Amino acid sequence: MKRLVSGIKPTGEFTLGNYIGAIKQFVEMQKDYESFVFVADLHALTVYNDPEVLRTRIRELIGIYLACGLDPKHTTLFVQSENLFHANLSWVLECNSYVGELSRMTQFKDKSKNKGNESISCGLFTYPALMAADILMYDADVVPVGVDQKQHVELARNIAERFNNRYGKTFKVPDPMIPEAGAKIYDLQNPTKKMSKTDESGKGCIMLLEDPSVARKKIMSAVTDSESKVYYDKENKPGISNLLVIYSLLEHISIEEATQKFGESNYGSFKTAVADSVEKFLVELQAKYNEIVESGLIDEVLDASNKKVRKIAEEKVLDVFKKVGVGRY
Ligand code: AMP
Ligand code: TRP
């Protein structure tokens, strides 16, 4: 069975965008791939995070993964920092990456823009090498990520090829897997901008653990256009198109089917249907989440997977250490 590896950073509240753009793909793919899905908590340290908040978010994300349908029978769920070998491999890969290529990462350029060198952490710069370690550690075949992460997966491929050429075949060269365009969810108030937890007003973004009735109001007040026909046209009707995407993905129907259903409806009744769908999704998700949190399943799952991932990682790191010539391996 081919292997899938992916992770999400535990920073900020988790959003409907995280579900539709990432977690939903992991859930759909877990039956066909041996999956390793983790909480990328070491990546969260590239900027300052309050330690108590970070601790809470890590557990929250594991709970969300489980509540969304990741099944420990198919998916090994773990917390990156609990497998100490990630940081070891990351160092060796950093030493096999170049300042030039890391400087070309657009995410680094965006995040460091308008900041002086004295306020950007070195971790923010070298973070793609840690991401390469996360991926190459498990010999991933596919890495499902949002489009913003594609460049980092390509870097992991380059590092793998370079290392294999220098030291002999050690790593599998992974492929990125980008969900189809429809899977990008936009801000409800500003539907040309990605729905993101950094949204300042909070009105444009649906949080997975927020009060479902608040989420309902956000959908009802989503920005639309002045025409009153419901159809998909991303350029001219970004607000309505975004709601159609959300509705069709949550109801497991195609955009065409959703359009047929609402084509003649006014915006009010269309929005009510989307709001019902989002509200129902959140109510069910949160009921499962609360049950999981109370059951102790989170620690049970993590304790079991820790042994498994450490074993795989230890073998890989010892092989790498031996190949590069450090220690007495
Ligand atoms: P982030 O929360 O930006 O760290 O992203 C974690 C994962 O969720 C990545 O795979 C993103 O591509 C995905 N993601 C985040 N926001 C959205 C969105 N609005 N639409 C689709 N995917 C998203
Ligand atoms: N960098 C990814 C993000 O910000 C998270 C991540 C870390 C990741 N390591 C990974 C994703 C390995 C896929 C594979 O969203």
Side-chain angles (χ1 to χ4, degrees):
M1 216 183 208
K2 294 205 162 181
R3 275 200 186 163
L4 174 159
V5 173
S6 198
I8 298 179
K9 271 190 306 204
T11 48
E13 289 178 65
F14 303 103
T15 69
L16 188 65
N18 292 140
Y19 172 70
I20 289 178
I23 304 173
K24 191 167 180 284
Q25 335 290 320
F26 309 159
V27 174
E28 282 162 7
M29 293 171 76
Q30 67 181 339
K31 291 219 165 61
D32 301 319
Y33 290 86
E34 184 188 2
S35 302
F36 292 80
V37 174
F38 61 96
V39 176
D41 58 346
L42 292 175
H43 289 268
L45 300 180
T46 52
V47 295
Y48 176 78
N49 273 282
D50 179 88
E52 279 316 314
V53 176
L54 180 56
R55 235 187 296 282
T56 309
R57 296 273 182 248
I58 292 168
R59 294 186 79 79
E60 221 172 77
L61 182 52
I62 294 286
I64 288 174
Y65 279 152
L66 288 165
C68 289
L70 284 176
D71 177 351
K73 279 200 223 73
H74 297 290
T75 300
T76 304
L77 283 173
F78 66 102
V79 177
Q80 180 193 31
S81 67
E82 293 184 12
N83 186 349
L84 302 175
F85 294 104
H86 283 240
N88 286 307
L89 183 58
S90 174
W91 173 249
V92 178
L93 299 185
E94 253 176 62
C95 295
N96 283 277
S97 326
Y98 295 108
V99 171
E101 62 191 350
L102 292 178
S103 311
R104 287 192 289 276
M105 295 294 118
T106 50
Q107 198 181 52
F108 174 74
K109 287 198 256 182
D110 289 347
K111 290 199 174 175
S112 57
K113 205 162 53 190
N114 307 327
K115 285 195 184 149
N117 276 349
E118 300 305 320
S119 63
I120 304 161
S121 76
C122 293
L124 191 66
F125 183 65
T126 57
Y127 144 119
L130 176 60
M131 181 160 161
D134 303 334
I135 297 168
L136 303 182
M137 185 76 92
Y138 302 96
D139 288 321
D141 293 283
V142 293
V143 185
V145 283
V147 102
D148 51 333
Q149 295 295 322
K150 187 167 176 237
Q151 198 186 20
H152 294 159
V153 181
E154 280 159 359
L155 178 80
R157 287 172 62 88
N158 293 341
I159 296 176
E161 279 167 357
R162 181 179 304 142
F163 191 97
N164 289 346
N165 286 337
R166 263 189 198 157
Y167 297 106
K169 175 99 181 83
T170 309
F171 298 119
K172 187 155 219 165
V173 180
D175 285 318
M177 183 179 269
I178 314 295
E180 72 281 20
K184 182 161 175 188
I185 304 302
Y186 294 88
D187 187 286
L188 300 167
Q189 291 299 318
N190 183 359
T192 52
K193 204 184 111 217
K194 174 176 143 171
M195 179 184 281
S196 157
K197 47 203 167 197
T198 51
D199 153 42
E200 274 148 32
S201 73
K203 288 190 186 143
C205 183
I206 306 275
M207 312 298 178
L208 294 174
L209 297 181
E210 79 181 333
D211 180 343
S213 64
V214 173
R216 171 174 202 94
K217 290 197 190 96
K218 291 183 188 173
I219 297 285
M220 294 308 289
S221 55
V223 166
T224 52
D225 51 76
S226 55
E227 199 188 19
S228 67
K229 255 181 121 88
V230 177
Y231 61 94
Y232 187 87
D233 177 348
K234 202 172 152 221
E235 297 303 308
N236 300 311
K237 297 170 78 70
I240 288 292
S241 302
N242 191 34
L243 294 177
L244 272 169
V245 169
I246 294 175
Y247 183 81
S248 64
L249 288 168
L250 292 183
E251 295 295 322
H252 310 285
I253 60 174
S254 65
I255 294 191
E256 292 73 42
E257 284 170 296
T259 313
Q260 268 168 15
K261 205 165 162 188
F262 297 106
E264 302 304 322
S265 313
N266 60 39
Y267 284 179
S269 50
F270 171 56
K271 279 183 168 176
T272 304
V274 183
D276 287 345
S277 181
V278 169
E279 188 175 7
K280 178 166 169 280
F281 171 74
L282 292 185
V283 166
E284 289 174 5
L285 177 78
Q286 292 173 15
K288 282 190 217 139
Y289 175 83
N290 291 331
E291 207 181 293
I292 286 163
V293 169
E294 277 156 32
S295 70
L297 185 66
I298 294 180
D299 288 303
E300 229 174 84
V301 165
L302 293 179
D303 290 345
S305 63
N306 265 348
K307 292 200 187 79
K308 178 175 172 185
V309 293
R310 284 193 194 180
K311 185 163 177 290
I312 297 174
E314 182 170 9
E315 268 172 37
K316 184 61 96 185
V317 168
L318 293 191
D319 180 33
V320 165
F321 278 2
K322 197 170 166 183
K323 285 194 166 117
V324 300
V326 298
R328 293 176 296 137
Y329 304 104

